Amino acid sequence: VLVAEDEPVNAEVTRAMLVYYGIDVVMARDGEQAVAEHARQPFDLILMDCQMPGMDGFEATRRIRDAEHSSGLTRTPVVALTAHAMAGYREQWLLAGMDDYLAKPYTQEQLEHVLNHWLNNENGLPAGETSE
């Protein structure tokens, strides 16, 4: 799972939650780094902060979608990480090519629900199982 998050505390909390499930995590501190990491290797899921300095999560997702389309790559699910969970923002996420969102601050259970949905794990993700 690729996590694009510029805020160090949020990044570490998200990384720790994912590691709890045995998930391999690659961290990106901004949109540019997220796009570069996506170009370097495939991911099963991307957790993308929407509001990052420089290239934000919306632009990074658009670039990832363009790269997937032009290269014939499989679409990687992108989940927006945002403090803005109001109705108007949903259209922004969808227009940018994002598939889902988690409203900050989110709980371990909310993250687990998203992981189960997008990683196609019908039986859940108990601690110790791995998925990338």
Side-chain angles (χ1 to χ4, degrees):
V1 171
L2 173 61
V3 177
E5 171 64 69
D6 66 308
E7 209 293 311
V9 172
N10 290 345
E12 181 53 30
V13 167
T14 301
R15 188 196 68 72
M17 287 179 169
L18 293 168
V19 167
Y20 173 80
Y21 293 112
I23 294 174
D24 294 327
V25 181
V26 173
M27 302 300 296
R29 67 185 167 276
D30 58 33
E32 286 182 46
Q33 189 177 16
V35 171
E37 289 294 341
H38 177 266
R40 244 187 297 283
Q41 63 180 314
F43 292 94
D44 293 323
L45 180 68
I46 299 172
L47 301 177
M48 182 76 72
D49 183 21
C50 293
Q51 306 297 322
M52 293 182 284
M55 184 188 300
D56 66 18
F58 299 112
E59 180 61 25
T61 301
R62 282 190 283 274
R63 290 190 187 192
I64 287 169
R65 295 295 181 231
D66 289 346
E68 288 171 341
H69 181 73
S70 65
S71 301
L73 298 173
T74 301
R75 181 181 170 104
T76 305
V78 176
V79 175
L81 302 178
T82 181
H84 303 290
M86 295 174 268
Y89 286 96
R90 184 174 189 275
E91 289 76 29
Q92 284 183 301
W93 306 321
L94 293 174
L95 287 173
M98 295 174 174
D99 301 292
D100 201 351
Y101 77 95
L102 270 171
K104 294 179 185 178
Y106 47 87
T107 66
Q108 183 83 33
E109 292 77 23
Q110 290 167 323
L111 177 61
E112 182 176 349
H113 176 76
V114 166
L115 295 173
N116 285 331
H117 178 77
W118 292 106
L119 297 178
N120 297 317
N121 187 343
E122 297 172 6
N123 301 318
L125 280 171
E129 287 197 13
T130 60
S131 179
E132 183 178 30

